[in-house]
């Protein structure tokens, strides 16, 4: 039996072996074992707007339960295009330039698989969302990474390092703002620098903007595709998951010029074929009618960010700035700790709180080992209990 098990373990193709398990599953299991408040995983524990949920229920009752059109229902594609035009002045043909996907993760994978050749390079800034690296591996491409640079209590884009990392083989640049896991939001100067580099080196750009509505302190999200020269080379990815608290619905989308969306669709249609039928009219409704809910949700998340950041500071962490997303990062060195993985593995048992090490989002963990990520997208009672436990950390040593 041991020999069979050993043989089974090595059957995963070599390029995917590094992704066979994740730190997120491990931290969640530890949270369950120790009945910990799970501030590691980035999903909310409250539902989205009631009227949106009612539309989904009615769609099921009305028999909207079979395959929808492959690119997504026309009403959802029109709603996505209209929302993009109203918010940012960016026009997309809903018939040819909008593709509904099974969440943003599928849109990301399909964009890389459909637009990057084996042997090409994909340039990432790190920390990066973990699916990027797996998608690059699936495509048979190679990744190059450039770390964000520390600046005060936050991060900035290292434009010179990014420019130096581009080679003749670089095909695509992946951009994520608002940024998971740091909560950084790229300012106009950073976006202009990225656009200039992409245009100068003729790079395709995959712009992951799933947290576009969760930007705090009066900031506004600016899509990379809105900059000069970028509309024709950018695939923009977003979703309903973080905007409307429906991470389990898996309704995402990709937008861009037809020639790029054709490539995304070519890969996507053989991955899942279609996204969930009864959820699509509900998301179309929400995009059209629930703008006040989005604003209220953003303001509430800002309040929760402040609550958690304050608790982390009170507990002794070095708290970093978070300008958007669900996340705040914290420095564990004030506790005499430098290994974020070990710190997070013991935290659920020590005080009953789960977090995620930032080193799980990078290729070279050395400069990131001292940082951990906490999520504040939880109900008030859950967050307050997590805050209470975090403040006891000094007592536990």
């Amino acid at each position: 039996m041991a020999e069979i098990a050993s043989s089974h373990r090595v059957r995963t193709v070599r390029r995917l072996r590094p992704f066979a398990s994740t730190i997120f599953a491990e931290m969640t299991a530890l949270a369950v074992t120790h009945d910990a408040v799970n501030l590691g995983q980035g999903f909310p524990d409250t539902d989205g707007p009631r009227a949106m949920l009612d539309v989904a229920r009615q769609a099921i009752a009305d028999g909207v339960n079979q395959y929808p059109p492959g690119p997504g229902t026309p009403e959802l594609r029109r709603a996505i295009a209209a929302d993009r035009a109203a918010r940012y002045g960016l026009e997309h043909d809903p018939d040819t330039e909008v593709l509904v996907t099974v969440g943003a993760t599928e849109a990301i994978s399909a964009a890389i698989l459909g637009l990057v050749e084996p042997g090409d390079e994909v340039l990432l800034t790190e920390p990066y969302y973990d699916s990027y690296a797996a998608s690059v591996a699936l495509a048979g491409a190679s990744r190059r990474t450039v770390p964000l640079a520390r600046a005060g209590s936050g991060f900035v884009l290292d434009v010179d390092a990014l420019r130096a990392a581009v080679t003749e083989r670089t095909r695509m640049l992946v951009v994520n703002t608002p940024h998971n896991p740091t909560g950084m939001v790229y300012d106009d100067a950073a976006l202009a620098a990225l656009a200039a580099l992409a245009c100068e080196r003729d790079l395709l750009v995959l712009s992951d903007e799933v947290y576009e509505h969760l930007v705090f302190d009066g900031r506004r999200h600016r899509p990379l595709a809105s900059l000069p020269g970028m509309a024709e080379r950018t695939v923009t990815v977003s979703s309903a998951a973080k905007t409307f608290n429906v991470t389990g619905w898996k309704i995402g989308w990709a937008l861009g010029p037809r020639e790029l969306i054709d490539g995304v669709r070519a890969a996507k249609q053989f991955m899942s074929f279609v996204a969930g039928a009864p959820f699509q009219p509900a998301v179309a409704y929400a995009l059209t009618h629930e703008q006040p809910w989005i604003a209220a949700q953003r303001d509430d998340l800002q309040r929760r960010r402040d609550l958690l950041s304050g608790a982390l500071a009170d507990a002794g962490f070095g708290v970093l700035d978070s300008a958007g997303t669900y996340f705040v990062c914290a420095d564990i060195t004030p506790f005499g700790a430098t290994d974020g993985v070990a710190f997070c593995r013991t935290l659920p048992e020590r005080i009953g709180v789960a977090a995620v090490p930032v080193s799980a989002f990078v290729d070279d963990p050395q400069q990131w080992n001292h940082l951990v990520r906490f999520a504040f997208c939880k109900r008030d009672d859950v967050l307050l209990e997590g805050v209470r436990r975090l403040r006891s950390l000094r007592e536990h040593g």
Side-chain angles (χ1 to χ4, degrees):
M1 290 295 293
E3 183 178 345
I4 293 174
S6 176
S7 175
H8 176 75
R9 282 197 298 270
V10 300
R11 291 187 180 182
T12 302
V13 294
R14 186 175 292 106
R15 66 181 179 275
L16 290 184
R17 288 176 195 168
F19 311 103
S21 62
T22 72
I23 194 70
F24 310 104
E26 181 184 354
M27 292 302 110
T28 296
L30 286 171
V32 171
T33 298
H34 298 288
D35 194 24
V37 175
N38 190 349
L39 303 183
Q41 280 196 294
F43 62 86
D45 53 9
T46 56
D47 286 332
R50 170 59 72 89
M52 176 191 72
L53 304 180
D54 289 342
V55 172
R57 293 187 187 99
Q58 191 62 50
I60 293 171
D62 289 345
V64 185
N65 301 303
Q66 308 308 322
Y67 293 136
T73 62
E75 64 181 317
L76 178 54
R77 285 183 278 123
R78 287 194 296 267
I80 292 167
D83 181 69
R84 198 76 174 168
R87 286 185 178 276
Y88 310 121
L90 293 172
E91 301 289 340
H92 293 87
D93 183 339
D95 294 327
T96 61
E97 299 182 331
V98 180
L99 176 66
V100 177
T101 60
V102 181
T105 300
E106 185 189 53
I108 290 162
S109 295
I112 294 173
L113 285 166
L115 298 172
V116 174
E117 297 283 359
D120 284 347
E121 290 179 348
V122 178
L123 184 58
L124 313 177
T125 55
E126 61 177 15
Y128 53 76
Y129 180 56
D130 62 338
S131 84
Y132 301 165
S135 297
V136 172
L138 280 168
S142 59
R143 69 179 182 272
R144 292 174 65 85
T145 61
V146 174
L148 295 174
R150 280 293 297 271
S153 56
F155 296 92
V156 294
L157 183 69
D158 189 337
V159 177
D160 292 337
L162 200 67
R163 182 177 297 277
V166 176
T167 75
E168 293 182 354
R169 293 172 52 207
T170 306
R171 168 73 169 171
M172 177 180 283
L173 169 65
V174 180
V175 177
N176 176 209
T177 183
H179 183 260
N180 176 13
T182 67
M184 172 189 178
V185 174
Y186 285 6
D187 62 16
D188 287 350
L191 292 173
L194 288 167
L197 176 61
C199 293
E200 176 188 328
R201 301 303 297 268
D202 194 24
L203 303 178
L204 297 180
V205 176
L206 173 58
S207 185
D208 178 356
E209 302 178 15
V210 295
Y211 294 98
E212 61 180 306
H213 302 294
L214 306 183
V215 179
F216 310 135
D217 306 314
R219 297 177 177 86
R220 289 179 59 89
H221 173 69
R222 185 181 183 190
L224 190 56
S226 67
L227 274 70
M230 295 305 294
E232 61 265 32
R233 67 179 65 252
T234 302
V235 173
T236 302
V237 169
S238 193
S239 82
K242 308 305 192 299
T243 302
F244 296 114
N245 284 15
V246 284
T247 59
W249 285 14
K250 299 300 292 180
I251 300 295
W253 48 85
L255 306 101
R258 180 172 185 168
E259 57 269 25
L260 296 185
I261 295 302
D262 283 349
V264 182
R265 182 184 296 110
K268 179 261 184 299
Q269 65 190 355
F270 295 107
M271 295 169 68
S272 65
F273 183 48
V274 292
F279 302 130
Q280 295 192 40
V283 173
Y285 173 88
L287 286 169
T288 305
H289 298 285
E290 295 291 355
Q291 299 305 317
W293 188 93
I294 293 174
Q297 175 77 347
R298 180 198 61 226
D299 293 345
D300 195 46
L301 282 167
Q302 179 177 319
R303 176 185 61 81
R304 298 182 195 191
R305 176 206 61 180
D306 293 343
L307 176 63
L308 181 57
S309 295
L312 290 169
D314 289 347
F317 289 91
V319 183
L320 279 68
D321 294 337
S322 172
T325 74
Y326 285 163
F327 309 112
V328 61
C329 291
D331 188 336
I332 62 174
T333 54
F335 300 101
T338 57
D339 186 339
V341 174
F343 185 89
C344 289
R345 282 175 174 156
T346 61
L347 200 61
E349 183 175 6
R350 290 169 65 196
I351 65 166
V353 173
V356 171
V358 173
S359 59
F361 300 85
V362 302
D363 287 353
D364 181 7
Q366 184 172 358
Q367 65 173 305
W368 302 97
N369 272 343
H370 62 295
L371 297 178
V372 298
R373 189 196 76 176
F374 293 88
F376 49 82
C377 51
K378 307 298 179 182
R379 296 192 317 270
D380 276 9
D381 60 318
V382 174
L383 199 57
L384 287 169
E385 177 59 21
V387 163
R388 185 188 69 79
R389 297 182 186 189
L390 283 166
R391 285 174 173 155
S392 73
L393 190 58
R394 287 186 184 275
E395 302 170 12
H396 289 77

